[in-house]
Amino acid sequence: MVQQVKVYSTPICPWCKKTKQFLDKNGIPYQSFDVASDKAALDEMVSSSKQLSVPVVDINGDILVGFDEEWLRQKLNLPQEEKKVEAIKTPANKCTSGTCAQMDEIKQAVAALRMSKYKCNVCGYVYDPELGDPDRGVKPGTPFDETPDDWVCPVCGSAKSKFDRIEEV
Ligand SMILES: [Zn+2]
C-alpha cells in the first residue's frame, strides 16, 4: 500500500526539522506544507489535528502532533530501534507559542480563519460568525465549522456542504 505522508510545519521549528530529517534519512517521500505562509494548508492542519502546534504528520489520515520517532517507525513499517537511554518521546517535542516565533502569526491567521464568512452557493446567503444564527440556536461568535452538522441555510435550506468560505480581500 502506498503511503501518503504529509508534514505541516514552519520553517524555523526545530521539531519540524527533526521530523523531516527522520523521513529523509529513511527515504520516505512526503509532501511538505509551510503553515506559516500557506493558509489553505494551515486550515487543513487545524481541521485534521484540531490544534495549532507543529509539526503535524499525516500518514494516510492518521495524525501525529509533534515528533515521535516510535510512532513514525510503527506507521511507516520501519524497524523499531534498540531502546535508547534517552527517552524517545519527550513532552516538549512540538512547537507551541513561545518556542516558535511564527506561532503568534499562525494563531492570528487561525483566528481570522475561524471568523471567516461563508456563502451559500445556492441562494447567496452569507453566514457571518459574528452574528451566528440565533433563530436556529447558533450563538453569535460561532465559527462556521462549529455550527451543528445539521444546520442548513436559513434562506434556502441547503446543507453546510453547499457553503464556501469567502476569502477576505
Ligand atoms: Zn441558501
Side-chain angles (χ1 to χ4, degrees):
M1 175 172 150
V2 180
Q3 262 154 342
Q4 288 258 21
V5 183
K6 296 179 187 174
V7 179
Y8 302 89
S9 63
T10 63
I12 61 161
C13 140
W15 291 105
C16 301
K17 285 198 184 112
K18 279 217 182 231
T19 300
K20 291 181 187 175
Q21 277 166 4
F22 175 82
L23 293 170
D24 289 339
K25 200 175 75 188
N26 287 283
I28 307 289
Y30 58 91
Q31 282 177 282
S32 179
F33 301 95
D34 173 7
V35 297
S37 62
D38 184 344
K39 289 228 168 30
L42 176 64
D43 201 3
E44 209 172 272
M45 180 188 100
V46 171
S47 70
S48 65
S49 73
K50 316 281 183 220
Q51 56 82 60
L52 279 178
S53 308
V54 286
V56 168
V57 183
D58 177 334
I59 300 177
N60 295 333
D62 286 333
I63 303 295
L64 170 70
V65 179
F67 176 69
D68 181 345
E69 185 168 334
E70 204 180 323
W71 188 94
L72 289 169
R73 286 184 177 279
Q74 196 185 336
K75 291 288 170 195
L76 297 165
N77 297 316
L78 298 168
Q80 294 289 349
E81 295 215 310
E82 297 286 312
K83 263 217 175 317
K84 289 182 198 162
V85 181
E86 172 200 6
I88 292 169
K89 202 173 180 178
T90 64
N93 57 359
K94 60 189 182 183
C95 284
T96 50
S97 191
T99 48
C100 223
Q102 279 134 333
M103 286 318 289
D104 289 339
E105 272 169 54
I106 291 177
K107 281 186 178 163
Q108 278 172 14
V110 168
L113 214 58
R114 283 168 59 85
M115 293 319 275
S116 294
K117 294 174 182 165
Y118 278 72
K119 186 177 173 188
C120 173
N121 286 323
V122 178
C123 73
Y125 165 84
V126 172
Y127 176 81
D128 182 345
E130 279 182 39
L131 305 176
D133 183 12
D135 291 349
R136 282 159 199 78
V138 180
K139 290 193 196 111
T142 306
F144 184 77
D145 282 356
E146 291 171 19
T147 59
D149 288 340
D150 58 0
W151 182 85
V152 295
C153 173
V155 176
C156 71
S158 295
K160 283 174 74 174
S161 58
K162 299 278 191 243
F163 280 72
D164 278 326
R165 183 154 58 92
I166 303 174
E167 298 283 347
E168 299 284 341
V169 183

